[in-house]
Amino acid sequence: MEDKIRVLLTEEEVNARISEVAEQISKDYEGKKLHLICILKGGVFFTCELAKRLTVPVSLDFMSVSSYADQTESSGRVLIRKDLDETVEGKDVLIVEDIIDSGRTLAYLIEVLKLRKPASITLCTLLDKPERRVKKQVQVKYTCFTIPDEFVVGYGLDYAQKYRNLPYIGVVEL
């Protein structure tokens, strides 16, 4: 049986907001080189669209971390499934995430990356659910959309590996 998906944010809304956020990041990092760390798998769609719109020099690397498996709720246990290929030492790092809710994954990841001595670490997310934040120390500098506590898919976000390819953000109505 197919899941029912309700559109929360249209493709046009998402694209327009990514452009606005990219413009702000480009201003903030003017004269610097920015090292993007894309959090796989969901972050790849957003990272690519964001990177295309940035006007500062960028380098890119990937990490795969998980706390969800095939569930709709975080397990609270963070696993690094794929680590970075390059060093971040001395680099201005922008972690790019598809969605941040509890903050557990990012709190863990930030501590791991700080030990690698980057010049700076900043967070950027497509979607933020601050009302679900358990780890209050996770501060997001660049947010495209703050959304209600609903399970969303599309634009890289999945439900049991389905719906990542939707060009909009939708809510799975279970």
Side-chain angles (χ1 to χ4, degrees), residues 21-91:
V21 169
E23 185 177 330
Q24 184 61 54
I25 292 168
S26 294
K27 284 180 186 173
D28 292 351
Y29 287 91
E30 189 174 348
K32 295 182 178 182
K33 183 177 179 187
L34 189 56
H35 187 68
L36 305 179
I37 296 178
C38 171
I39 306 303
L40 297 172
K41 295 177 185 173
V44 75
F45 290 77
F46 174 46
T47 302
C48 289
E49 292 302 319
L50 181 69
K52 289 190 305 190
R53 293 165 170 88
L54 293 172
T55 59
V56 296
V58 298
S59 54
L60 177 63
D61 207 344
F62 300 89
M63 286 188 92
S64 180
V65 294
S66 177
S67 64
Y68 279 84
D70 284 341
Q71 306 301 313
T72 60
E73 295 274 333
S74 173
S75 67
R77 185 168 164 241
V78 180
L79 301 170
I80 295 179
R81 298 182 184 272
K82 184 227 174 286
D83 208 338
L84 299 173
D85 293 328
E86 299 177 28
T87 181
V88 295
E89 188 170 347
K91 295 179 181 179

Side-chain angles (χ1 to χ4, degrees), residues 94-95 100 106 110 121-125 138-142:
L94 181 67
I95 299 172
I100 302 172
L106 279 174
I110 289 167
I121 298 176
T122 308
L123 297 178
C124 178
T125 189
V138 173
Q139 298 295 313
V140 185
K141 183 163 184 181
Y142 305 104

Side-chain angles (χ1 to χ4, degrees), residues 143-160:
T143 299
C144 289
F145 299 97
T146 300
I147 63 167
D149 186 14
E150 296 182 288
F151 193 80
V152 291
V153 295
Y155 223 92
L157 295 135
D158 74 298
Y159 173 58

Side-chain angles (χ1 to χ4, degrees), residues 8-24:
L8 181 64
L9 298 164
T10 67
E11 181 177 8
E12 294 77 18
E13 290 172 309
V14 172
N15 285 326
R17 184 66 183 133
I18 291 172
S19 293
E20 291 170 3
V21 169
E23 185 177 330
Q24 184 61 54

